[in-house]
């Protein structure tokens, strides 16, 4: 089977050293295997993403010589694909509308924290307490008719039951048993878009025939829920290679806020692509 990898940046800022490193990991796996390297623009967060950043990122990738195969897929052009999958999950009784505001959720969590078992935690802090999972259909319809904004959440316990056990393989860590409840009832469609990061990534990796997902190890928890969605939807699970994150000498990760370490800034300062890669190779990676 031919290797297909992808680099999937969100255009919320300029390409920096950390993301260029990540792009090169995916590019290298594909090129060494004589496979395909895809680029996908993950712009479902329409409030934060900008077309100018997308154009700049693609230009920077090209300048670095990280050439990609085929068309760039832009997620905001494919909402209908995600909508179809949402409808399927809905038909199977696996998703529900959630009308909670951030303040509602914080209040529920604070109340649960004083209970004997406390509020359940996930990798990013307390999990959604499940308030809206218990609403009656009539109540849901009433709130929708009243124009209350809502997102959609996956009923993780029910999904785990329908999916059954699953596992995924990471190139360095080997076989990892899927933990379907790791992120609780996560958001599967946001209030402002008919999808979420988790849904769009899972659907796209499947539709694009991605065989090896390379991405930062900070996204390992997400892989557990992507595995759950793949199992539910009957998609073949890709292999994974979670890579370490490039850090500055103090151990801090690069982020879009590090303006002087964008590829653009380095290029304008007269560096060549070779010098940029040499710089990347000189930085430490997370322990
Ligand atoms: N769009 C994500 C990001 O920029 C990466 C998603 C992925 O590789 O699955 O962090």
């Amino acid at each position: 089977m031919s290797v297909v990898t992808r680099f999937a940046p969100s255009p919320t800022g300029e390409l920096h050293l950390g993301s260029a490193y990540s792009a090169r990991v995916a590019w290298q796996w594909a090129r060494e295997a004589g496979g395909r390297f895809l680029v996908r623009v993950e712009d479902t967060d329409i409030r934060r993403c900008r077309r100018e950043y997308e154009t700049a990122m693609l230009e920077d990738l090209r300048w670095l010589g990280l050439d990609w195969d085929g068309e760039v897929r832009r997620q905001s052009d494919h909402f209908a694909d995600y909508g179809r999958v949402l409808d399927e999950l809905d038909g199977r009784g696996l998703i529900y509308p959630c009308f909670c505001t951030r303040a509602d959720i914080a209040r529920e969590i604070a109340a649960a924290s004083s209970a004997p078992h406390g509020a359940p935690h996930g990798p990013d802090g307390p999990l959604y307490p499940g308030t809206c999972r218990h609403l009656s259909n009539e109540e849901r319809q009433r709130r929708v008719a009243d124009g209350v904004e809502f997102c959609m959440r996956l009923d993780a316990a029910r999904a785990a039951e329908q999916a059954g056990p699953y596992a995924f393989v990471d190139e360095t860590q080997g076989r990892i048993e899927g933990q379907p409840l790791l992120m609780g009832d996560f958001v599967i469609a946001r209030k402002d878009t008919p999808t979420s990061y988790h849904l769009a990534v899972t659907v796209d990796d499947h539709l694009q025939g991605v065989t090896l997902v390379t991405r930062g190890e900070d996204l390992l928890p997400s892989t557990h829920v992507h595995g759950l969605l793949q199992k539910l939807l009957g998609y073949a699970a890709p292999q994974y290679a979670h890579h370490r994150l490039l850090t500055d000498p103090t151990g801090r990760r690069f982020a879009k806020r590090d303006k002087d370490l964008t590829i653009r800034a380095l290029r304008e300062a007269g560096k060549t692509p070779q010098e940029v890669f040499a710089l990347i190779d000189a930085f430490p990676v997370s322990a």
Side-chain angles (χ1 to χ4, degrees):
M1 187 176 57
S2 163
V3 171
V4 182
T5 67
R6 77 333 186 251
F7 173 55
S10 296
T12 54
E14 286 185 357
L15 203 68
H16 55 82
L17 286 180
S19 43
Y21 168 72
S22 191
R24 190 183 57 176
V25 170
W27 179 86
Q28 215 157 20
W29 275 100
R31 292 292 170 254
E32 279 170 10
R36 285 164 57 76
F37 168 62
L38 311 179
V39 171
R40 183 167 76 220
V41 173
E42 304 212 317
D43 61 343
T44 56
D45 187 346
I46 48 177
R47 287 170 301 114
R48 292 177 57 229
C49 294
R50 301 262 179 284
R51 229 15 114 74
E52 307 87 87
Y53 288 136
E54 173 186 322
T55 309
M57 277 183 159
L58 296 177
E59 249 174 54
D60 291 345
L61 284 177
R62 226 177 265 122
W63 178 78
L64 286 168
L66 301 177
D67 54 322
W68 59 90
D69 299 298
E71 298 268 302
V72 171
R73 180 174 168 98
R74 182 189 297 128
Q75 290 186 324
S76 62
D77 292 338
H78 296 278
F79 284 145
D81 288 338
Y82 316 126
R84 270 189 289 278
V85 177
L86 263 188
D87 287 346
E88 176 185 338
L89 295 172
D90 195 18
R92 289 163 64 178
L94 294 175
I95 61 179
Y96 62 86
C98 169
F99 304 91
C100 294
T101 60
R102 278 174 201 271
D104 294 333
I105 296 174
R107 212 175 310 111
E108 281 278 331
I109 289 170
S113 300
S114 49
H117 298 295
H121 269 63
D124 306 320
L127 296 174
Y128 176 66
T131 324
C132 287
R133 195 191 317 123
H134 309 293
L135 295 179
S136 66
N137 273 338
E138 293 69 37
E139 181 60 20
R140 285 175 181 157
Q141 279 162 13
R142 193 184 61 73
R143 293 194 193 187
V144 172
D146 285 351
V148 185
E149 286 198 321
F150 61 96
C151 67
M152 299 298 291
R153 290 183 179 272
L154 188 82
D155 182 333
R158 203 180 265 192
E161 204 178 285
Q162 271 194 29
Y166 62 96
F168 56 92
V169 177
D170 178 81
E171 288 290 335
T172 46
Q173 300 182 41
R175 188 185 146 91
I176 299 177
E177 243 8 91
Q179 296 175 45
L181 306 182
L182 189 64
M183 295 211 180
D185 287 4
F186 61 87
V187 173
I188 195 132
R190 302 154 53 95
K191 282 183 179 162
D192 50 2
T193 43
T195 187
S196 63
Y197 161 66
H198 297 306
L199 180 65
V201 164
T202 307
V203 170
D204 283 350
D205 284 340
H206 168 70
L207 291 179
Q208 296 189 284
V210 172
T211 65
L212 176 67
V213 172
T214 66
R215 61 182 172 208
E217 61 189 5
D218 55 326
L219 289 172
L220 183 64
S222 298
T223 303
H224 285 273
V225 302
H226 300 173
L228 170 64
L229 293 174
Q230 287 153 3
K231 182 83 192 297
L232 276 175
L233 296 163
Y235 297 167
Q239 297 261 118
Y240 289 87
H242 294 92
H243 61 73
R244 295 195 170 168
L245 302 170
L246 212 61
T247 67
D248 67 14
T250 68
R252 205 174 58 106
R253 287 174 53 179
F254 287 115
K256 287 174 179 151
R257 62 177 177 270
D258 298 313
K259 296 269 185 281
D260 47 338
L261 290 174
T262 62
I263 304 308
R264 192 55 51 124
L266 294 166
R267 180 178 164 183
E268 281 165 6
K271 298 257 186 261
T272 63
Q274 291 68 29
E275 286 168 335
V276 172
F277 286 127
L279 197 59
I280 287 176
D281 291 332
F283 276 106
V285 285
S286 54

